[in-house]
Structures are given as structure tokens and as C-alpha cells.
Amino acid sequence: MKQTTDIHRHSLEALIHIICWGLFFAFPLFFVQRTNGTIDWDAFFHHSLFPASTFIIFYLNYFVLIPHILFHEHTKRFLLINFLIIICMTFSLRYLNNLFNPPPADFNRPLPPQFIFYLRDMSGLIFSAGLSVAIRMSLRWNQDKAAQREALKSLTEAELKNLRNQLNPHFLLNTLNNIYALIAFDTDKAQQAVQELSKLLRYVLYDNQQMFVPLAKEIDFIKNYIELMRIRVSPQVTIETSFDIKPNSQTPIAPLLFISLIENAFKHGISPTEPSFIRIAIGETEDQIHCTIRNSNYPKTRTDKSGSGIGLEQVSKRLELIYPGNYQWERSLSADGSEYISSLKIKLHHSPLNKQA
């Protein structure tokens, strides 16, 4: 695709050059006298000297002096060479003009001072060189910007891949801790948890390696995770879920964004002795996906090692990389501190990576 785009760009650039210079060289035809419908080619040649000179100056700079001298930071050398070439070409133009177009013998009107013609020709040649510099610098600027965008895209994708590689072991470690806790008091539930874990691992290891996954598949993963957690928690914990998405929704979403929020709810929202609750609501509209999680608030103590706490930090980094300026994440505590609310809204169709996926 990129190669095809470059070919089209170069073809268009060449066509513009051909049309512009074709019109420029044809311009003297409007000043050439015609006798019996025949063009005076000697006069045409005379009037074409200046266009030919500007043509030479333009492309000498465009293909040689600018890329090989100016772009290598030899500005003084570039200006000196251009100055010498323009001076030589200006004097050559005046010499050829006087040679091919001498004033008639009976020409009695006073001629303008010669320096006016020198100044006119030199100004035109300087303008041609400046135009060449402006066009070539503009093209280089566009190429540099394209290269920067490509480098930023590669860097972003590499960082996202690194974050996913960190997230998978983190998720696995937390889940294994949950199963380990089950083994001590309920072997049957532990075996069931291992079966649920195998479903989760299939998704984590194989199904979410793309930059984006269908929302329906991500929701299935979340449902499996929640079922796994139901096995572990006590009857005192109320878990309510609401998934308001399109049937078999193919809306692209970055994988494993919501799972860290849900993990956090199970980590900080459950008390071993007090009634607890977790309410999870995920839905989509035409232009956004929203996830709201409410849970009872029981912060972990320093002695609790169930999780390293890197999940939410990764969520923040990934949101900034994938949905910069197109998400809203609000976290708050109720007035009495008993309830924690996490609300994440993601605008669709605005991620630059989404467009490239």
C-alpha cells in the first residue's frame, strides 16, 4: 500500500512539473510575430533563453545542490555556488540577447540602462532558485513528518505489546492466588476453578494478540472470569452484572482493559466477614462503550499480597496510548467511604490505532 501511494505521489509530482514547465516554455509563443501563419523560430529561441535559464537553475538546485549540499548543512557553500552560477548565467543571458537581438541600425530611441536588464534577469533566476528550495524543503518536511508518524506508530505498538506481555502474567498470578486459596478448604471448587481458568488462558494467550478484539468476545471472557470468582467468594458477597451490548457485537475494543477494573473490584470490594457487593455494568451505544463498576470498599492492608497493584497503572497507560483524548475515566468514593465507583467511557471510531487495525 505504501509503495503504491509513493508511486502515485511521484507520478502526480512529475505531471505537475511537466504541465508547469510546458506552459512556461510555451509562453514566448504569445510574443512571437507570425508571418503568413508561420512562427518566427529565431525570435522564439530568443524569447526562450530566460525560461531555459530558470529551468536549469531550478533543477540544478532541485536534484543536485539542495539534496547534496543544503541538506548536508553546508548552507554557506550552497549560497556561494548559487551566487556564482546566477552571476555567470545572468551575464550569459545578456550576451546571447545582444548577440541574437541587436538593436536595428535605424533605431533612434534611447535604450534603458543595461543594469535594469541585468537586475531583471538576476531577480528571475534568484526567484527560480528560491522556488526550488521552497518546494524541496516542503517535500522533505512532509517526508520527515510521515517518518515521525510511522516511528511513533511503531513505538506505540511496541509499548502496547510490552504492556500486554506484562498484563498476562499479572492476571495469571492473581487467578492462581485465587485457586490456591480454594484448595485449602474446597477441593471440588478448586478443580472447577482450574477448568474455568483454562478457558481464560485460551483467550489471554491466543485470542487477544490483536490490537483490537470484538466486544462480544471480550465480554465472554469477562463473564468467564466472573464465574471463576463466584466459585471462590462466600455467600455473603452479592455479584450483579449487566451487559447491554449488541448481539454478537463486533465493535472493536482493546483487549483486557476492563478486566483490571473488575480485578480491582474483587480485590478491594470483598470482606471475609462483612456482607459485600460488586455491581458490574458494561454497555455500548453508537459512539461509545461504557463500563461502570460499583463495589463495597474494603482496602487491603499492607500485609495482603494478593496482587501487585500494577493493573490500574497499565490501564491508564494503555488508554493514553490507544484512546488519547477519547476516553473518560472517573474514580470516586461515596461520601461515607463505603462504596467505590469506577466509571470508564471510551469514544469509538477516534483511535488512530483503531483506524490502522
Side-chain angles (χ1 to χ4, degrees):
M1 180 63 72
K2 183 178 183 299
Q3 184 177 5
T4 304
T5 303
D6 289 341
I7 292 175
H8 288 166
R9 179 172 60 83
H10 291 309
S11 300
L12 180 61
E13 182 182 346
L15 181 61
I16 292 173
H17 281 259
I18 292 171
I19 292 174
C20 291
W21 284 109
L23 292 173
F24 194 42
F25 275 104
F27 192 67
L29 289 172
F30 295 99
F31 300 95
V32 175
Q33 295 181 351
R34 291 173 171 81
T35 304
N36 298 326
T38 304
I39 298 175
D40 185 349
W41 289 108
D42 289 337
F44 176 77
F45 175 74
H46 163 68
H47 286 291
S48 298
L49 287 175
F50 181 72
S53 300
T54 58
F55 181 88
I56 293 171
I57 287 290
F58 182 92
Y59 284 108
L60 182 63
N61 276 278
Y62 194 88
F63 289 116
V64 180
L65 299 181
I66 297 173
H68 297 291
I69 297 179
L70 183 61
F71 285 171
H72 289 276
E73 309 297 333
H74 302 306
T75 307
K76 292 182 179 179
R77 186 186 304 176
F78 172 79
L79 293 174
L80 178 61
I81 293 174
N82 262 292
F83 174 76
L84 294 176
I85 292 175
I86 290 174
I87 290 293
C88 293
M89 196 162 287
T90 300
F91 279 93
S92 299
L93 276 174
R94 298 315 312 153
Y95 172 77
L96 292 173
N97 182 76
N98 294 331
L99 179 66
F100 289 104
N101 190 36
D106 58 349
F107 190 78
N108 296 321
R109 286 180 297 170
L111 292 172
Q114 283 293 310
F115 80 88
I116 293 180
F117 296 108
Y118 283 101
L119 184 62
R120 181 198 65 185
D121 294 345
M122 186 178 296
S123 299
L125 295 176
I126 291 174
F127 176 79
S128 180
L131 182 63
S132 180
V133 171
I135 294 175
R136 196 63 195 258
M137 292 291 285
S138 177
L139 290 174
R140 188 193 192 196
W141 183 82
N142 287 332
Q143 291 171 355
D144 288 345
K145 292 295 289 184
Q148 289 175 6
R149 287 194 297 269
E150 190 66 26
L152 180 60
K153 176 189 172 185
S154 299
L155 180 62
T156 300
E157 291 178 350
E159 188 167 352
L160 284 171
K161 184 177 181 180
N162 181 53
L163 284 173
R164 280 205 303 268
N165 289 340
Q166 293 178 27
L167 181 62
N168 293 350
H170 168 256
F171 167 81
L172 177 60
L173 179 62
N174 283 352
T175 308
L176 287 176
N177 282 337
N178 294 335
I179 296 175
Y180 177 77
L182 281 176
I183 293 174
F185 62 86
D186 196 327
T187 305
D188 292 336
K189 281 190 175 182
Q191 290 177 346
Q192 184 181 351
V194 171
Q195 292 177 347
E196 294 295 334
L197 176 61
S198 66
K199 299 176 184 178
L200 300 180
L201 288 180
R202 186 184 304 278
Y203 180 81
V204 169
L205 298 177
Y206 301 110
D207 295 341
N208 79 323
Q209 295 306 306
Q210 300 83 11
M211 191 67 68
F212 297 90
V213 296
L215 179 60
K217 183 175 286 189
E218 184 73 6
I219 293 300
D220 287 341
F221 168 74
I222 290 173
K223 289 178 178 178
N224 288 334
Y225 176 79
I226 293 173
E227 291 307 311
L228 173 62
M229 298 306 293
R230 285 184 193 274
I231 298 172
R232 179 192 174 188
V233 299
S234 69
Q236 295 187 94
V237 180
T238 301
I239 302 176
E240 300 176 0
T241 60
S242 172
F243 300 104
D244 184 18
I245 67 171
K246 302 171 186 176
N248 196 30
S249 174
Q250 297 300 303
T251 302
I253 185 70
L256 302 179
L257 270 179
F258 302 134
I259 196 64
S260 293
L261 308 185
I262 296 172
E263 275 190 299
N264 192 65
F266 278 99
K267 178 182 176 184
H268 297 287
I270 296 176
S271 168
T273 57
E274 301 292 332
S276 311
F277 68 89
I278 296 175
R279 301 186 182 98
I280 301 168
I282 300 177
E284 69 171 321
T285 61
E286 290 300 322
D287 61 349
Q288 77 172 13
I289 297 174
H290 56 86
C291 173
T292 301
I293 302 174
R294 297 173 177 268
N295 57 268
S296 46
N297 185 42
Y298 296 103
K300 296 298 182 182
T301 64
R302 291 185 178 181
T303 58
D304 193 326
K305 303 301 182 181
S306 60
S308 58
I310 66 172
L312 297 185
E313 181 183 348
Q314 289 179 330
V315 171
S316 181
K317 288 182 180 179
R318 294 182 70 206
L319 286 171
E320 278 301 313
L321 288 170
I322 305 173
Y323 302 103
N326 292 294
Y327 73 92
Q328 184 179 3
W329 187 15
E330 297 178 350
R331 290 168 281 179
S332 61
L333 280 174
S334 60
D336 59 0
S338 63
E339 182 181 18
Y340 178 83
I341 304 107
S342 178
S343 176
L344 174 60
K345 297 178 182 178
I346 298 174
K347 294 181 182 178
L348 300 176
H349 314 300
H350 292 287
S351 167
L353 292 174
N354 198 345
K355 294 177 182 178
Q356 295 162 2

